[in-house]
Each structure stands twice: as C-alpha cells, then as structure tokens.
C-alpha cells in the first residue's frame, strides 16, 4: 500500500550552516520524492553537469538538477538515510521548451503523477513514513528571516562567482581560466581541464 505525506516549502539548516529551500517533498512507502519546480517559459538549454542553464539563451539560472541534488544531500543528512532512498524530480511548466538531455527526471507538470506512480518497490513502512515526515516538519526553519538569509546568500554567491570569473579565476577549483575557441564561440575554460570541467560562455 502506498502511504504518502506531502510537505511544501521546507527550509532546512545544513550541517555546514547553509540553508536548503525545498519546494515539495513527497514522503512515501516507495521512497522520498524531492521536487524542484521551475516556472520559466521559453527555450531552456543547458547541460546536466553544468553550473548554469539558460532561458532563451539570455537569462541564466542555477542548474536545477544540481540544485535539487543539494536538497537531497540536506535531507539525507537530516534523516540519516542513503541518497538512493531519494528520487529527484525537476518539474518545468508546460510553457517551457526544455532542451536538456538527461536520464534524470526532468519533466513537465503534467507528467508528475505518472512519474511518482512509476515507483512501486516498497522501501519504507508506514511508521517510517510518519516519522520521516514529522522530522522534516520539525526541522523546517522557514520564516521571513531564513528566507531573506537564503536569498542573500545566493546573491552573494553569484556576485563572488562573477568577480572570480572576471579575474579569470575558476570558481570551482581556484585555478586559472583560459580563453578558448569552441564550436559555439569563445569561452573561458579551466586550465585544469579535464580534472575540472568549469566553463563560462563569453
Ligand atoms: Zn577549475
């Protein structure tokens, strides 16, 4: 039997002091679904492993697959469970045209129910589902202050990242960035490639 607990807008404090803001969590006997929703419209391009994706090749935003992986790490830490007990689902509105290739669940809103229902292997019992949902709820630090802190931290990270790139320092590994010519034009790449795969389109 499928037992479900739905939780929305959860902010967790990580062991490293940072916060994770999670849109939706579905705790079920078949696993814990961690859902990141994006309301962007237009063409969405990017790479499963890249840091940033772009909307209509102009506006860039954090890769939601990576972002959601951070959410899973926060939940795994909290519930003391291995990461494979969690299922990452990134959901875009039907107004978006998502051009990203990945084996992960990167779906449209209309596919959410079907995606969740495709999991049929029991992983937890009813008591565990109750206990996990309760612990998540009790650990929720959602408040105006933590929301503000979360947004400020992201803004600060983005600013620091931009400063580093401007000074041609790799924001991932702190080595030097070099200008390269690629199929799609000039870009900055990490001098430590292939050990570090950071790139930034110019
Ligand atoms: Zn690097």
């Amino acid at each position: 039997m499928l037992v479900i607990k739905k939780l929305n807008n959860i902010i967790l404090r990580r062991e490293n002091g940072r916060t994770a803001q999670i849109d939706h969590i579905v705790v079920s006997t078949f696993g814990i679904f961690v859902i990141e929703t994006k309301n962007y419209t237009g063409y969405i391009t990017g790479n499963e492993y890249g840091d940033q994706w772009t909307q209509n090749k102009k506006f860039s935003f954090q890769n939601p697959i990576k972002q959601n992986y951070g959410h899973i790490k926060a939940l795994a830490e909290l519930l003391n469970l291995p990461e494979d007990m969690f299922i990452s689902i990134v959901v875009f509105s039907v107004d978006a045209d998502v051009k990203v290739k990945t084996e992960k669940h990167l779906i449209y809103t209309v596919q959410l129910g079907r995606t969740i229902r495709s999991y049929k292997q029991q992983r937890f019992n009813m008591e565990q589902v109750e206990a996990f949902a309760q612990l998540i709820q009790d650990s929720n630090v959602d408040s105006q202050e933590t929301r503000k802190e979360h947004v400020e931290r992201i803004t600060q990270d983005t600013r620091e990242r931009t400063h580093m790139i401007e000074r041609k320092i790799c924001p991932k590994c702190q080595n030097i960035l070099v200008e390269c010519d690629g199929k799609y034009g000039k870009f900055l790449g990490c001098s430590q490639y292939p050990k570090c795969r950071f790139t930034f389109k110019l």
Side-chain angles (χ1 to χ4, degrees):
M1 189 182 61
L2 174 64
V3 177
I4 273 190
K5 287 271 168 192
K6 284 185 196 163
L7 304 158
N8 301 315
N9 299 319
I10 299 289
I11 299 186
L12 299 177
R13 172 81 57 192
R14 303 266 322 257
E15 279 165 8
N16 60 15
R18 308 192 51 166
T19 47
Q21 182 167 19
I22 311 170
D23 292 338
H24 309 281
I25 305 167
V26 175
V27 186
S28 85
T29 38
F30 300 151
I32 301 170
F33 300 89
V34 184
I35 303 160
E36 175 66 26
T37 53
K38 292 284 177 231
N39 293 317
Y40 300 120
T41 57
Y43 279 97
I44 307 297
T45 49
N47 178 296
E48 180 179 338
Y49 305 101
D51 285 327
Q52 305 280 314
W53 288 8
T54 55
Q55 177 196 25
N56 290 330
K57 299 205 164 152
K58 271 188 226 139
F59 172 68
S60 68
F61 58 96
Q62 208 192 340
N63 171 350
I65 293 178
K66 270 198 171 176
Q67 189 185 1
N68 214 27
Y69 178 56
H71 298 163
I72 287 177
K73 282 207 279 199
L75 283 164
E77 236 169 59
L78 173 71
L79 302 175
N80 204 9
L81 287 171
E83 284 169 13
D84 63 0
M85 293 291 137
F86 299 88
I87 302 118
S88 168
I89 306 179
V90 174
V91 186
F92 273 86
S93 94
V94 288
D95 299 320
D97 190 354
V98 184
K99 302 288 191 194
V100 180
K101 283 201 189 79
T102 171
E103 297 290 307
K104 305 263 164 55
H105 294 304
L106 174 64
I107 58 168
Y108 293 106
T109 40
V110 289
Q111 300 169 305
L112 183 58
R114 201 191 317 152
T115 305
I116 289 177
R117 283 194 301 273
S118 71
Y119 285 80
K120 294 182 170 112
Q121 196 204 331
Q122 176 135 10
R123 294 177 178 190
F124 305 119
N125 60 37
M126 271 166 66
E127 288 74 28
Q128 284 176 303
V129 169
E130 292 283 346
F132 294 150
Q134 193 62 50
L135 185 53
I136 295 168
Q137 198 74 268
D138 292 344
S139 311
N140 188 10
V141 291
D142 188 13
S143 70
Q144 255 180 353
E145 289 86 79
T146 47
R147 261 169 202 261
K148 207 171 139 226
E149 180 197 323
H150 187 79
V151 171
E152 276 169 1
R153 184 72 198 230
I154 289 170
T155 316
Q156 192 195 332
D157 282 357
T158 314
R159 225 179 276 140
E160 269 168 25
R161 186 177 174 277
T162 311
H163 280 157
M164 290 184 84
I165 295 168
E166 277 167 6
R167 287 181 288 138
K168 299 207 170 155
I169 297 168
C170 174
K172 262 192 163 165
C173 70
Q174 283 79 49
N175 278 294
I176 294 164
L177 292 175
V178 287
E179 222 174 278
C180 313
D181 267 312
K183 244 199 311 198
Y184 304 105
K186 277 194 192 307
F187 68 93
L188 289 174
C190 184
S191 55
Q192 297 306 300
Y193 180 88
K195 236 166 66 191
C196 171
R197 292 176 176 270
F198 177 83
T199 58
F200 181 80
K201 208 175 162 224
L202 288 171

